[in-house]
Amino acid sequence: MEQKQRKFNIKEFFKNQGLYVALVLCLLVVGAAVLLIALPSEDEQQAEQPNGQVVVEAGQSEDETLNEAVNKNSQPPATLKPTQTPTPLPSVSPQVSPSPSPAPSTKTTTSTSKADPPVNGEIVWGFATDKLIYSKTLDQWMTHEGVDIAAELGTEVKAVLSGTVLQVYEDDALGYTVIVEHTSDRLTLYANLSDSIPVKVGDRVNAGTVIGTVGSSAISECAEVPHLHFAFYVGGSAKDPADYVKLG
């Protein structure tokens, strides 16, 4: 009874639902057919692997696809440049500054031309302000602010520099005397002259102008040979005439 009932139910099911079952089966068949069409063939699976690389079967070494793949892999990219070894920069030795040479001395020697002498002759009594020399006339040791230049009586005495006659007088010790004033606070003195003096105070004289003649008027030096007593002063101080005038 139960078996009959079961068969009856199946028949009733297919009778009532048979159309739907047939529709489902048709859909399954169509779906299977679409799936088979969509799946790649065996040749296509062998031709291309999932990683995108081309695979060929053995015995196909002459295949153009393989050659192109090999050539493509063996050639470097077009944009790749050969590596260049950087050229080492030349080593630069540190420049050592030479020791500075000492600056030339700014001290210059002023060479002032010496003036011509008032008379030509030998020095018989020299300049002495820092020591004592013996005077035969006075028979004593004393200083001497000038030089005595030996010369014959009547020898012309000439101014050694241009200037103005400052004094003309007779000195108690040096006799007839002429003093000439020059620039730069300088004075020259000419003594033991004769009494005939051709210049007077205020006269302008040049170097070489005759201002008198050699005499024997100097009482303090009368024991000496005839001579000219000549002195040179700078700023009121007696200087060695040989530093300014050419003396023998």
Side-chain angles (χ1 to χ4, degrees):
M1 184 69 180
E2 293 179 356
Q3 185 175 6
K4 288 181 179 182
Q5 185 67 30
R6 185 180 304 162
K7 290 180 180 180
F8 175 80
N9 291 336
I10 294 172
K11 289 180 180 181
E12 284 293 326
F13 173 80
F14 280 104
K15 182 179 179 180
N16 296 326
Q17 304 296 333
L19 178 62
Y20 297 102
V21 171
L23 181 61
V24 170
L25 292 175
C26 290
L27 291 175
L28 290 176
V29 172
V30 173
V34 172
L35 180 63
L36 291 175
I37 294 173
L39 289 177
S41 63
E42 183 179 356
D43 292 340
E44 293 176 346
Q45 291 179 356
Q46 291 180 353
E48 183 175 357
Q49 293 295 326
N51 59 4
Q53 294 181 352
V54 177
V55 180
V56 296
E57 297 180 356
Q60 293 181 343
S61 61
E62 297 298 327
D63 185 50
E64 293 182 358
T65 303
L66 177 61
N67 290 337
E68 291 177 358
V70 172
N71 292 335
K72 180 178 181 181
N73 293 333
S74 63
Q75 294 179 355
T79 58
L80 182 62
K81 296 182 179 180
T83 303
Q84 296 182 352
T85 303
T87 304
L89 296 175
S91 59
V92 180
S93 302
Q95 297 295 327
V96 179
S97 299
S99 300
S101 302
S105 174
T106 56
K107 183 179 179 181
T108 55
T109 303
T110 303
S111 58
T112 303
S113 298
K114 292 183 179 181
D116 291 333
V119 292
N120 293 318
E122 180 184 355
I123 303 298
V124 294
W125 209 16
F127 177 78
T129 56
D130 56 354
K131 63 181 180 180
L132 298 176
I133 58 177
Y134 180 70
S135 171
K136 291 188 295 183
T137 302
L138 301 176
D139 189 21
Q140 64 181 15
W141 293 87
M142 58 184 293
T143 60
H144 194 229
E145 292 188 348
V147 293
D148 291 346
I149 306 172
E152 297 290 336
L153 293 174
T155 300
E156 291 183 340
V157 176
K158 300 176 182 178
V160 296
L161 298 170
S162 61
T164 303
V165 176
L166 182 63
Q167 297 183 40
V168 177
Y169 64 99
E170 184 180 5
D171 186 83
D172 293 339
L174 296 177
Y176 292 106
T177 303
V178 174
I179 297 177
V180 180
E181 183 180 28
H182 311 284
T183 58
S184 303
D185 200 17
R186 297 172 298 173
L187 299 175
T188 52
L189 180 146
Y190 311 83
N192 196 29
L193 300 175
S194 66
D195 56 0
S196 57
I197 297 176
V199 294
K200 62 184 183 297
V201 174
D203 286 352
R204 287 285 302 170
V205 297
N206 296 319
T209 298
V210 175
I211 59 173
T213 57
V214 175
S216 57
S217 58
I219 297 174
S220 61
E221 297 176 353
C222 61
E224 304 293 338
V225 298
H227 64 275
L228 169 70
H229 177 86
F230 174 66
F232 201 106
Y233 297 87
V234 178
S237 298
K239 303 295 181 181
D240 187 348
D243 292 338
Y244 304 90
V245 179
K246 301 172 186 177
L247 300 177

